[in-house]
Amino acid sequence: MRPALPRVVAFGGGHGLFASLSALRRVTDNLTAIVTVADDGGSSGRLRAEFDCLPPGDLRMALAALCGDDESGRTWADVLQSRFGGHGPLAGHAIGNLLIAGLWQSLGDPVAGLDMVARLLGAKGRVLPMSAVPLEILAEVIGMDPLSPDEVSSIRGQAAVAKTQGEVRSVHLIPEDPPACREAVDSIDAADWIILGPGSWFTSVIPHLLVPGLAAAIHRTSARRLLALNLEPAGETAGFTAARHIELLAEHAPDLRLDVVLADEGFAANDPHLDSYAASMGAKLIVADLAARDGSPRHDVFRLASAYAEVLGI
């Protein structure tokens, strides 16, 4: 009899989580995604404002990543991700966002709605929101005013934080003590591995550690903890070293311990401090060739899957 595959919980949002899930579903069939719910831009922001619901965009992307590789799965993934064109009231909305928001309105339960979409798609895993309520991100930023480069400013909203020209120093959540999704906490308690990252550091990775119920579960779980670093510093962390990414995580979650830090060889190559920073959090540094071959700053799904399989002992 084949041994049971590990129960893996992956945290994040957007394209980083999409890449991680696309790789993980190739190595385990026991997979849960816990997704940020702070997006306030684009289609998600419009639906959030109009219906006072969780922003569905990152949840939609996670579901699309878990679709199968057969014709049906690829078709559903394309449908979820496609957007209405034109200039009318539906222009710019992702079809998957409308499907999810419509089910939420009909069922009155975000988790039940996501589970129903997952069944419809034949998704290879479960997708859960990190909190039961929509959240906002508040960032402390320096360098917004060229005449006062050391002055600290506050920026509110995920979309604004992602585009800021200043240097983000820290982030907080509004509300400060949001309720964790109960099913998400249960999945962490039952996990064999939990995986943080890759993704936008301040808006997709760190926020999970700021929800008290999730943070407590991450700290107490018997699961092993893996941190997957990005391929390069970009966007919110442009110019930051790989080691600085780990330092930021420790600043926001001082009690967090890790077992493994997984880094692409290109990002790790010029950082002499990465190994010691990983060790300071209790982690072994594993460096692998994870980058796509087209020159874009994206993970190659199959290389990432191979790295995950090796680390998870599959």
Side-chain angles (χ1 to χ4, degrees):
M1 181 181 295
R2 190 183 75 170
L5 293 172
R7 293 164 294 189
V8 178
V9 176
F11 300 81
H15 295 285
L17 182 60
F18 184 92
S20 191
L21 294 175
S22 298
L24 284 167
R25 68 178 175 80
R26 289 172 165 82
V27 301
T28 183
D29 57 6
N30 203 332
L31 180 59
T32 301
I34 299 178
V35 185
T36 53
V37 288
D39 191 4
D40 59 356
S43 171
S44 284
R46 290 161 61 190
L47 291 169
R48 171 178 175 164
E50 184 171 350
F51 297 107
D52 191 27
C53 65
L54 297 176
D58 286 345
L59 297 157
R60 178 203 81 240
M61 287 189 68
L63 285 163
L66 295 177
C67 288
D69 285 325
D70 57 2
E71 183 178 357
S72 176
R74 291 192 298 270
T75 300
W76 269 117
D78 289 342
V79 169
L80 282 180
Q81 299 284 62
S82 63
R83 295 178 183 272
F84 288 96
H87 303 284
L90 290 180
H93 275 304
I95 292 175
N97 286 358
L98 298 179
L99 173 62
I100 293 168
L103 281 170
W104 286 344
Q105 188 174 69
S106 177
L107 299 176
D109 182 341
V111 171
L114 292 168
D115 285 344
M116 181 171 286
V117 177
R119 289 193 298 271
L120 176 67
L121 305 177
K124 299 182 177 181
R126 194 180 193 193
V127 173
L128 298 169
M130 72 175 185
S131 176
V133 300
L135 306 175
E136 286 190 271
I137 291 177
L138 179 67
E140 302 300 319
V141 181
I142 63 169
M144 292 291 292
D145 183 353
L147 299 178
S148 303
D150 296 325
E151 182 177 321
V152 178
S153 305
S154 294
I155 297 179
R156 183 165 176 165
Q158 183 271 338
V161 173
K163 296 175 182 176
T164 182
Q165 297 301 305
E167 180 181 322
V168 181
R169 288 298 184 90
S170 64
V171 288
H172 310 275
L173 293 180
I174 301 172
E176 293 183 1
D177 189 13
C181 171
R182 177 179 55 80
E183 292 84 354
V185 172
D186 291 343
S187 71
I188 297 168
D189 288 338
D192 297 308
W193 280 88
I194 62 174
I195 297 178
L196 286 163
S200 300
W201 224 241
F202 289 110
T203 54
S204 292
V205 178
I206 289 175
H208 290 87
L209 302 170
L210 305 180
V211 177
L214 283 189
I218 290 170
H219 290 145
R220 71 170 177 258
T221 182
S222 60
R224 302 192 71 194
R225 305 170 184 87
L226 183 154
L227 174 67
L229 293 175
N230 295 333
L231 289 178
E232 63 178 31
E236 304 162 0
T237 53
F240 289 11
T241 64
R244 176 59 178 153
H245 283 71
I246 296 177
E247 185 178 31
L248 286 166
L249 211 66
E251 289 173 358
H252 286 83
D255 297 328
L256 178 66
R257 306 297 291 169
L258 300 170
D259 294 282
V260 176
V261 171
L262 177 64
D264 175 65
E265 59 186 21
F267 196 19
N270 299 315
D271 191 339
H273 306 295
L274 181 56
D275 199 352
S276 62
Y277 274 58
S280 72
M281 298 192 74
K284 175 184 178 182
L285 174 65
I286 295 179
V287 177
D289 181 5
L290 304 174
R293 288 297 181 264
D294 61 3
S296 65
R298 297 182 300 111
H299 285 87
D300 180 279
V301 168
F302 296 101
R303 293 176 185 276
L304 184 57
S306 179
Y308 279 151
E310 184 173 351
V311 173
L312 274 56
I314 300 172

